[in-house]
Amino acid sequence: MNLSEAITVRRPQRWDKPMDASMNDADVAWLRSREPFASMDPKSFPRTTPLEGILRNDCRLIRCEAGEVLVREGDYGNSAFLVLAGSVGVMVDSLSQEQLGRTPKEKLSWSEALRRFMFRSPVAEAREPSQVVPLRTNSSGTIRTLDDRQAIFLQDFDLVMREHEHVSLGPGELFGEVAAMYRSPRTATVIAENEATLLEIRWQGLRMFRRDKVFADTLDAHYREQWLPVHLREIPLLRYLPEVNLQRVVDATELHSYGRMEWDNDYKRQRKLPLAEQIESEPVVAEEGRLPTDLIIVRSGFGRLSQHYGASHRTTAYLGKGHLFGFEELAFNSLRSENLPPKTLQHSLRAVGFLDTLSIPAEVFADAVLPHVRRSELPAEIAKLITRRDQVATAAEKVERRTQARLPQSKRDGLGDLPIVTGVEFQQTELLEFVVQNRLNNGQQAMVIDLNRCTRCDDCVKACASVNDGNPRFARQGLIHDRLQFVQACMHCEDPVCMIGCPTGSIARDVDSGVVVIHEPICIGCGTCANACPYQNIQMASIRDRSGKPYCDSASGKPIIKATKCDLCSTQPNGPACASACPHDALVRIDLTESAPLSQWLDRRS
Ligand SMILES: Nc1ncnc2c1ncn2[C@@H]1O[C@@H]2COP(=O)(O)O[C@H]2[C@H]1O
């Protein structure tokens, strides 16, 4: 290429779009005079991202009023908040969905489902008035515009604060850092107790502030003390650990982050790369052939397991939240007899998009964790190894008692040479690679069609429309691999990017079922979720009444718009209409966050 003909443009910069364009020099100077920023050493920050720059571009000042719901338990969010003035209450007791303005989706009875079907409106996207705006009962929240924001308020705020235990946070205290740093659901609802000023810090800024050692250490110590024990206890392997052992694990665990949290922005570009290049571009967490040094637990994000295959790599499985890496190798190494060489890692682990891990050092794993893992939770080969070792030990004790002679060590451990299968055996490598490449492994309820059986009758689409206001929540289209079509319908993702930034908490995950639903009365139609969904599985729809008249906003005269998507027919007595309507058993809703369900489904059909 002749460079003299090139068109030179300024490459987009990280701070081209500040979080709050109205943040000015005076605001930044004022913030710099307050803690924790006053004590931060500007020299800790690189020239390209100075402290003042982070304050100006990654933060915004928010004024809130008593009763405003600032974050809701269970939501996803990517910012934290520093209290500058006033106070907020962190609700120790969970508030009900109704108190947060959401209407729980309850299953309809068969008769009610039938009645609704019979009397459904001929108008597409028809809604009753109660579905358009929140019911103004005493317990529901109301939406108000505050400055340029849509804020949701608790109506019976005084009563809620009196009746529910809460912790008050005042000036200088930070909240919302758990979800912002670790991409996990909000652990509590936080409400403004009075008129308060907050500094909202988006996660990129929060990570940059960690350049200041005191700030980073404070944040880490707080996480380690308050949240790490909770997160570790959620991992099945550590469920039965005595308290003292858990504390040992807490003290020794290291936290690591790989890749970029905004994976959703990158993946469309990356998936066009040839596979080898794609894999090479992924940050390596642990490498095949090396000795395992830690048990790695996926805290959030996604990982790819691969093995060398000729000059390239072959994907063998993918990992998601809660999955373990290196377990079998570490267990083998700690149980093996001395005459056997230690096992090296059978796979490499790479971050796909972003990956947050917890690493438990090998010796802590061997001493404090492995002895307390239930046999039923161990891989069969490892359980066998332990059983054989215990049998030998018991036999040795008997012999010892009888003969008073000591059994030689080599003999006692001599049954360790059992075959150990490490990692996940997988034949459908190309399918796995396709799933990871297109980040379909984010889907907990992906819609997959077996094209060998599908006759294109569209009964699935028609069934969806019949239970969804005359408008199907998907079209029979989507990525195809071999005989499988991965349909563009909400997958109820493990990492629900769509839920980040919803200003009213309208899009939320049902705690029991894991289904991501939109609570329409509090949806303000801003489109944040639809823009954020990396798979374009959310549509914005103008809504009407049963006679076909559009609803319009009384203040602006503009049509009322609502976000719509598949809700997995969570109110239907028979589950997802798409799957039940398929006359050819060609459509399935399937969990793609694990490799196994898809391969098992395919095995059953072949
Ligand atoms: N028991 C608690 N004491 C103080 N703050 C809490 C407590 N529980 C939760 N929080 C804060 O409330 C926030 C809710 O959102 P996050 O989970 O992102 O981060 C959480 C913490 O910052």
Side-chain angles (χ1 to χ4, degrees), residues 71 90 167 169 174-180 185-188 190 226-227:
V71 303
V90 178
V167 177
L169 303 181
L174 189 75
F175 67 92
E177 77 291 356
V178 184
R186 296 279 188 206
T187 51
V190 184
Q226 182 153 6
W227 300 112

Side-chain angles (χ1 to χ4, degrees), residues 71-81 88-92 166-169 173-182 184-190 222 226-227 231:
V71 303
R72 285 158 292 263
E73 183 179 351
D75 278 6
Y76 283 70
N78 53 6
S79 30
F81 302 81
V88 301
V90 178
M91 307 311 291
V92 176
H166 59 275
V167 177
S168 286
L169 303 181
E173 293 188 278
L174 189 75
F175 67 92
E177 77 291 356
V178 184
M181 291 290 296
Y182 308 114
S184 50
R186 296 279 188 206
T187 51
T189 297
V190 184
H222 180 70
Q226 182 153 6
W227 300 112
H231 287 171

Side-chain angles (χ1 to χ4, degrees), residues 228-229 231-251 253 295 297 327 360 364-374 377:
L228 187 56
H231 287 171
L232 288 171
R233 270 276 184 250
E234 284 167 359
I235 294 157
L237 194 72
L238 309 178
R239 213 179 300 152
Y240 303 107
L241 230 52
E243 215 38 61
V244 51
N245 291 38
L246 187 76
Q247 192 51 50
R248 228 187 120 193
V249 174
V250 167
D251 294 340
T253 296
L295 175 71
I297 302 168
F327 176 74
I360 305 176
V364 177
F365 167 76
D367 294 349
V369 178
L370 193 56
H372 297 278
V373 178
R374 300 245 153 148
E377 294 187 19

Side-chain angles (χ1 to χ4, degrees), residues 375-390:
R375 291 282 158 92
S376 58
E377 294 187 19
L378 288 169
E381 301 301 335
I382 300 289
K384 238 195 273 173
L385 193 60
I386 295 181
T387 310
R388 300 285 286 274
R389 196 192 59 168
D390 289 352

Side-chain angles (χ1 to χ4, degrees), residues 336-339 392 407-416:
R336 80 192 161 92
S337 59
E338 271 164 18
N339 57 346
V392 171
L407 199 71
Q409 176 83 14
S410 58
K411 193 152 188 193
R412 192 152 31 96
D413 284 347
L415 293 167

